[in-house]
Amino acid sequence: QVQLVESGGGLVQPGGSLTLSCVASGFTFSVYGMNWYRQAPGKEREMVAFITYPDGVDHYHPAVKGRFTISRDDAKNTVYLQMNNLKPEDTAVYYCNAARNPTWTWGQGTQVTVSS
């Protein structure tokens, strides 16, 4: 049974930082590219970052490039999203998933709120 468990969200002031984690289980994590997505209220889910398999190259949505960094630890079946210089428009529920079609069942996500 595939599980994706996101954590690390919270309330942060503009300009602040957070690191999100996603622990995966139920599939061979190390052979998949991994993606981070977010969904803001009233908007569709969008991909913000992904890290490819097998070469581990990272790519970013233009809105977050230079501020967010995706990384992975295959020994821990975990993908991370380091978020710096957060802006109010980064407020959303953040999800991870594997780079596959169809995606695995979505986890519960982790809420990030950027507000003063």
Side-chain angles (χ1 to χ4, degrees), residues 18-40:
L18 285 173
T19 300
L20 307 184
S21 301
C22 170
V23 180
S25 60
F27 64 99
T28 307
F29 177 83
S30 61
V31 302
Y32 284 93
M34 291 297 296
N35 307 332
W36 277 100
Y37 303 79
R38 67 186 180 188
Q39 187 166 20

Side-chain angles (χ1 to χ4, degrees), residues 1-108:
Q1 177 183 356
V2 171
Q3 280 195 313
L4 298 164
V5 180
E6 300 91 350
S7 63
L11 173 63
V12 62
Q13 292 186 343
S17 299
L18 285 173
T19 300
L20 307 184
S21 301
C22 170
V23 180
S25 60
F27 64 99
T28 307
F29 177 83
S30 61
V31 302
Y32 284 93
M34 291 297 296
N35 307 332
W36 277 100
Y37 303 79
R38 67 186 180 188
Q39 187 166 20
K43 296 187 176 182
E44 293 188 354
R45 185 154 29 204
E46 63 177 359
M47 187 186 301
V48 296
F50 66 94
I51 186 164
T52 61
Y53 169 82
D55 47 359
V57 177
D58 51 346
H59 302 267
Y60 301 93
H61 188 289
V64 308
K65 192 172 185 178
R67 301 188 295 121
F68 289 12
T69 302
I70 187 172
S71 62
R72 65 190 296 162
D73 185 339
D74 289 349
K76 296 182 179 180
N77 282 7
T78 301
V79 60
Y80 303 96
L81 187 68
Q82 172 69 43
M83 306 187 297
N84 298 325
N85 191 21
L86 283 160
K87 303 176 180 181
E89 51 264 42
D90 296 319
T91 296
V93 180
Y94 284 72
Y95 303 87
C96 71
N97 215 311
R100 71 187 299 269
N101 186 15
T103 58
W104 298 118
T105 300
W106 296 94
Q108 82 289 349

